[in-house]
Amino acid sequence: MELSDKYLFEHKGFSFVRDLVTAEYIEALEDFEIRDSDVFLVTYPKSGTIWTQQILSLIYHEGHRDGTENIDLIDRVPWLEYNINHMDYVNRASPRLFATHLPYYLVPKGLRSGRTKVIYVARNPKDVCVSLYYFSKFSVKLEEIEDFNSFMERFLAGKLVASSWLDHIEGWSAHRDDFNILFLTYEEMKKDLKSAILKICNFLGKRLTDKVVDAIVDKASMANMRVDRRTNYKQMSPELLDFSKGSFLRKGIIGDWKNLMTVAQSERFDCVFKERMEKLPFKFCWDNKDDL
Ligand code: PPS
């Protein structure tokens, strides 16, 4: 199965959105100078990136209300590899917060064995696949594949943006000792957001009052992020997103895959993913009713 080269290109075994970045830019990122105070949020797409971007931004800025509430989320925690708003990352004031979908082997070299903090958020891959399917419908820069079965086969083969889910998580997990990294799951955030936020604060060495933590829980809720124009990404250019076809904050639930996948598709998914997933040191939750 070939990569759809009108939309994507591959660089060192990982696929990127063609219109948004070049291989030269990705290559140069390996030497991007990092600071101990930087924080990198790493995700495979559709795993809770903007949710965690919002949480990180609130942890760093909410307490002292320095005006960040008037800045779009994408500018508070910009994407490392997709510098959509052409920001000056090099001269950005500390602490710099970045989001990235990069695999472990393409991130800035300085992140390895350093003090810079990395947070990896993972989500059960069936929900990731379904979320990406709907996202592809409204992202102008991704190919829309109408038939879900064909889309799922592409996902299983790692032939979509960001390549293989399994390779991504296996890579980051196997190299966890090379980084100062915290692993979290979307599902644990869903089930107990306050505990997840406290875990993040603890990792970042941030002590916030109970009142501030509660305010973060509130501001990071699906309902509030949906109506907040700084966090719902509705300010994004129509050249990137067609809001008549969907939204970034779609459902935000555990187990939506059950509303789209047939039993046969789910079994096919398990057949391809199960063996490698069982070796991962994470417990995935496939349904809201499952315990973590
Ligand atoms: S992207 O394009 O990679 O940045 O997308 P990403 O932000 O990783 O994932 C989008 C999915 O995350 C859901 N989301 C949330 N869930 C719960 N609570 C909050 N606050 C929240 N914010 C975003 C969003 O709805 C997408 O999932 P689906 O399943 O499509 O609804």
Side-chain angles (χ1 to χ4, degrees), residues 59-75:
I59 287 174
Y60 275 87
H61 302 296
E62 186 64 9
H64 45 87
R65 281 270 167 199
D66 59 0
T68 51
E69 66 272 22
N70 294 320
I71 301 173
D72 286 348
L73 187 52
I74 192 165
D75 294 335

Side-chain angles (χ1 to χ4, degrees), residues 45-51 101 123 131 186 220 249-252:
K46 313 325 285 181
S47 301
T49 324
I50 69 170
W51 192 11
H101 295 318
R123 185 181 190 186
S131 180
Y186 176 96
L249 289 115
R250 197 181 57 91
K251 282 195 183 169

Side-chain angles (χ1 to χ4, degrees), residues 8 13-17 43-45 82 101 158 160-165 168:
L8 304 175
F14 192 75
S15 59
F16 294 90
V17 182
T43 55
Y44 185 87
Y82 296 117
H101 295 318
L160 293 170
V161 65
S163 300
S164 153
W165 181 90
H168 198 273

Side-chain angles (χ1 to χ4, degrees), residues 23-24 54 127 147 206 219 231 236 240-241 246 279 286:
E24 292 70 37
Q54 166 77 336
D127 279 334
D147 172 47
K206 290 273 170 197
K219 286 206 168 65
T231 59
M236 270 199 165
L240 297 176
L241 298 171
K279 295 195 182 109
W286 304 93

Side-chain angles (χ1 to χ4, degrees), residues 43-53 79 101 123 127 130-132 134-135 186 190 193 219-223 225-226 233 247-253 256:
T43 55
Y44 185 87
K46 313 325 285 181
S47 301
T49 324
I50 69 170
W51 192 11
T52 320
Q53 280 172 293
W79 259 287
H101 295 318
R123 185 181 190 186
D127 279 334
V130 167
S131 180
L132 193 54
Y134 287 112
F135 182 69
Y186 176 96
K190 242 349 252 189
L193 186 55
K219 286 206 168 65
S221 71
M222 187 78 181
M225 283 183 65
R226 229 186 217 142
Y233 277 57
S247 84
F248 242 101
L249 289 115
R250 197 181 57 91
K251 282 195 183 169
I253 58 170
D256 191 41

